[in-house]
Amino acid sequence: MATTEEIAEAYADWRVRCNGNPRLAKMLRGWNRTVHLMTADDAGHFTIVVTDSVLSELRIGLVDQPDLVVSASSEDFADLFWGDLNPSEKYISGEIVLAGSSEDVMRLDAMSMVAFLDQ
Amino acid sequence: MSQGAPAPATTLRRAMGLRTAVSTSTGLAFAALQYLAAAGLVAYVAGDSAWISIGVAGILAVVAWSFFGELNGMFPTAAAIRRYMAGAMDDRVALSITFTYLSTIVLVIAADAFVVSAALTHVLHVPSWLTAVWTLALLGVAVASNLRGIKAAGWLQDIATTVVLAATLVVSVVALARSGTGLHTPLQPLHHHSGAGFLESVALGIFLYSAFEWVTTNAEEVRDPKHIHRAMLIAVGILFVVCATMTTAMSHVLTHAQLITAYPQLSLGQRAFGAAGLWIMTAVTAVTALNTFNGGFITASRFVYATAREGSLPPALARLNDRAVPWVPVLGLGAMSFVVSVIVEAVGGSGWQVLVAVGAALESMIYAVAAFCVLRLRGRVPDHHRPFRVPLVRVVAITGVVVFGLLAVVASVSVGNRFDPVPLAIILVIGLASAAYTVRVVPRLQAAEAARRAARPTRRRPPRTPGGETSPTVPPSVS
């Protein structure tokens, strides 16, 4: 099980990559969303706020009403933020569970793809 | 806790309610091609008693609803079809079936583009070669709006679906009322028809409900997971009422020559409200296609994107434009739909009947596959969380496999009221191409992806220290 610190560290790296990516800035223009991250193994819950393509710091706990909820194991969250796993594979296998509109899900997946694969 | 139990409920800020789920399910099923399918059912197979065939097909759709209800409850995700099929059978078979099934969307988009274009050509009294131009323009607009990430909002979809269904129902009832005569043989499905003909009409009737189950891809955005389950059932009921009334009106007031055109709904409108009815039904047909384009493009392109991201389709299909839209699948879908549409137009009268037969056969096939998956998963994952369970599962699912399998075969060799193996040949070509792709290309794609990963530098995630902590490389960003 990944600790809160491990997830926070991984997220910090992801955030720097995402916020510094000009293509992602275009892709997320006008996309203001609150994302809840819920660990399936009780490693804690987190909130990310995206305001006009800029990712906030990771907030511990569930803040505000979400637009998108992502549930996964803490290990998967850490690997995802480090770019060590393909979220689509985990999603199709049911290890990552999502709640939200398909457009929001697409944008979230785009973040990991563009940040790490630059596609 | 059993497998697959839902996470604690969280209310989303923007969630789909029951009404939008119903309109999505009904709107996906009620394509412009349904008008032609209904008219074909009347003209060639069932006559005045077509509504009985539609009713029987509706009962079968309710049986299919129970299968999709159980499967969607187990896997409430847009990727459900991949998950339940991969869980119930060999993944290569599952992928082949899924790709074949997906081709229905291309056929329906192509057919709708053609139907709307043919209607415009008719009402504007312009040369028929312009039909291809309208088709190109319609698909061009659909592709361009998809590439820009434009999607009809839930409320707009609710209104569009309601207008289409209400207008079709009103036009049908008024046309019937104005006919001034009673129905000829409304309760004699075997009058002038054989038992085989009735079976054929039920097989084609299945097409009128096709795609109602695609609303399961919205499972992640509903306010309450039960909404999808209820919405599908309500949609089947609505489709029965509208389609049965429409076919009854068509059988009663239209001539055989009107029934076999590419725009029988316009003739129905004209019988109800004169010239105004013609324009009303032209507008309704266009709105129907809007629903199909909106749902079809998004569903198919996102599925292709996810499958490419998974590594089962070429990585180029997962490329995104600056609006996070998978542009290659959208363009490909538009191009394929245009080609199919032009072929349908070139073939003439029997072209759309072949599409209806292919669609009906593929829909029956997927119902049979769903029945098989329900049965197989009961054995393989008996403890998986199931909010809804098919009652008497062994009897219902085995009957479902047999009946829907039989209807798939019947639909695939029937065009109009005659034996014609062309739909079967088309399905076999699509199916064999999908199977060949899955067996020969997918392993190579997966090997290439594995090689790419192996060539990548080591994991970015720092290794854990003996105490279980990772060595921090970036200052944590926590508030």
Side-chain angles (χ1 to χ4, degrees):
Chain A
M1 188 170 90
T3 62
T4 297
E5 290 73 26
E6 283 177 283
I7 293 173
E9 183 192 353
Y11 174 76
D13 178 77
W14 195 60
R15 180 175 173 240
V16 168
R17 275 180 168 266
C18 289
N19 286 347
N21 190 308
R23 179 132 191 270
L24 212 45
K26 267 191 193 173
M27 235 178 230
L28 303 183
R29 193 187 301 141
W31 193 64
N32 302 317
R33 296 289 186 271
T34 300
V35 184
H36 282 178
L37 310 178
M38 305 181 68
T39 58
D41 45 13
D42 293 331
H45 299 325
F46 309 91
T47 302
I48 302 169
V49 178
V50 186
T51 310
D52 204 15
S53 66
V54 177
L55 272 70
S56 70
E57 292 186 337
L58 188 70
R59 298 182 191 171
I60 293 175
L62 302 179
V63 183
D64 291 340
Q65 199 175 12
D67 299 287
L68 192 57
V69 180
V70 187
S71 306
S73 72
S74 56
E75 283 291 319
D76 281 348
F77 273 126
D79 284 341
L80 188 156
F81 290 138
W82 281 117
D84 287 333
L85 68 76
N86 176 346
S88 287
E89 268 182 30
K90 289 276 178 180
Y91 166 67
I92 286 178
S93 70
E95 290 164 86
I96 292 181
V97 177
L98 299 162
S101 78
S102 55
E103 297 82 59
D104 290 347
V105 169
M106 278 295 296
R107 280 197 158 77
L108 196 67
D109 190 54
M111 285 160 79
S112 66
M113 190 164 78
V114 173
F116 290 105
L117 302 178
D118 201 27
Q119 284 189 349
Chain B
M1 194 159 93
S2 64
Q3 286 175 287
T10 309
T11 310
L12 295 171
R13 189 176 291 156
R14 300 173 184 82
M16 184 186 276
L18 180 63
R19 191 185 58 203
T20 302
V22 171
S23 75
T24 303
S25 180
T26 318
L28 284 168
F30 201 89
L33 186 58
Q34 310 307 86
Y35 292 119
L36 275 59
L41 197 62
V42 170
Y44 294 113
V45 193
D48 263 1
S49 306
W51 71 273
I52 296 177
S53 309
I54 294 169
V56 173
I59 291 169
L60 292 173
V62 171
V63 175
W65 159 80
S66 71
F67 302 143
F68 289 112
E70 176 161 332
L71 296 170
N72 178 63
M74 291 174 76
F75 309 108
T77 157
I81 187 168
R82 286 285 292 121
R83 291 198 58 202
Y84 63 71
M85 283 177 63
M89 59 185 80
D90 179 89
D91 197 41
R92 286 168 300 183
V93 178
L95 258 183
S96 303
I97 294 174
T98 308
F99 287 144
T100 308
Y101 179 45
L102 207 61
S103 61
T104 317
I105 296 184
V106 176
L107 298 182
V108 172
I109 289 175
D112 267 31
F114 166 72
V115 173
V116 177
S117 304
L120 285 173
T121 300
H122 176 67
V123 293
L124 296 174
H125 304 292
V126 292
S128 59
W129 62 266
L130 273 173
T131 302
V133 177
W134 301 130
T135 304
L136 187 62
L138 279 170
L139 289 173
V141 170
V143 166
S145 57
N146 262 276
L147 290 177
R148 291 183 64 79
I150 297 169
K151 183 193 171 192
W155 64 267
L156 185 60
Q157 198 172 313
D158 292 350
I159 292 171
T161 305
T162 307
V163 165
V164 165
L165 296 171
T168 304
L169 199 58
V170 169
V171 162
S172 302
V173 170
V174 172
L176 269 175
R178 289 195 169 174
S179 73
T181 57
L183 299 174
H184 307 298
T185 54
L187 297 170
Q188 294 160 272
L190 299 180
H191 183 74
H192 290 314
H193 297 98
S194 62
F198 181 69
L199 187 66
E200 191 186 329
S201 68
V202 172
L204 292 179
I206 291 282
F207 182 76
L208 298 176
Y209 301 90
S210 65
F212 81 89
E213 74 280 6
W214 273 99
V215 72
T216 53
T217 59
N218 296 96
E220 288 149 350
E221 42 192 308
V222 285
R223 203 165 288 139
D224 178 344
K226 287 178 188 158
H227 282 352
I228 294 289
H229 192 54
R230 288 177 189 149
M232 287 193 290
L233 187 60
I234 295 169
V236 169
I238 292 172
L239 288 166
F240 166 68
V241 172
V242 175
C243 292
T245 311
M246 175 173 73
T247 49
T248 304
M250 281 181 171
S251 73
H252 195 57
V253 304
L254 300 188
T255 63
H256 188 267
Q258 287 172 319
L259 285 169
I260 61 170
T261 61
Y263 35 80
Q265 75 281 16
L266 303 191
S267 303
L268 191 66
Q270 202 163 14
R271 287 299 300 263
F273 296 113
L278 192 73
W279 285 100
I280 288 170
M281 287 312 286
T282 304
V284 166
T285 308
V287 176
T288 308
L290 176 84
N291 266 351
T292 307
F293 292 161
N294 184 46
F297 268 93
I298 289 173
T299 306
S301 63
R302 302 319 187 253
F303 183 84
V304 168
Y305 166 82
T307 314
R309 285 278 281 144
E310 183 199 23
S312 299
L313 281 171
L317 294 170
R319 287 188 187 283
L320 297 172
N321 68 10
D322 285 347
R323 293 172 193 269
V325 174
W327 62 274
V328 182
V330 170
L331 281 180
L333 199 60
M336 281 193 289
S337 301
F338 179 67
V339 170
V340 174
S341 186
V342 168
I343 292 172
V344 169
E345 192 191 343
V347 169
S350 62
W352 66 81
Q353 289 166 21
V354 169
L355 284 192
V356 169
V358 170
L362 287 177
E363 192 67 10
S364 293
M365 178 197 81
I366 205 67
Y367 291 175
V369 169
F372 172 80
C373 290
V374 166
L375 196 58
R376 181 57 80 89
L377 291 174
R378 282 285 182 103
R380 286 190 173 179
V381 281
D383 296 328
H384 200 292
H385 178 66
R386 287 175 172 83
F388 174 80
R389 299 172 78 90
V390 176
L392 302 168
V393 68
R394 198 166 279 275
V395 176
V396 176
I398 291 173
T399 307
V401 170
V402 173
V403 171
F404 289 124
L406 179 66
L407 290 173
V409 173
V410 169
S412 67
V413 292
S414 311
V415 177
N417 59 346
R418 63 186 190 283
F419 174 82
D420 189 336
V422 170
L424 180 62
I426 292 172
I427 292 168
L428 283 177
V429 167
I430 297 171
L432 288 174
S434 301
Y437 174 84
T438 306
V439 171
R440 299 187 73 89
V441 182
V442 171
R444 272 189 264 163
L445 288 173
Q446 288 169 340
E449 175 62 19
R452 257 197 306 274
R453 283 186 195 177
R456 244 184 248 160
T458 50
R459 278 164 63 89
R460 295 189 67 248
R461 186 173 171 185
R464 287 170 194 254
T465 59
E469 303 270 320
T470 55
S471 49
T473 53
V474 179
S477 164
V478 184
S479 60

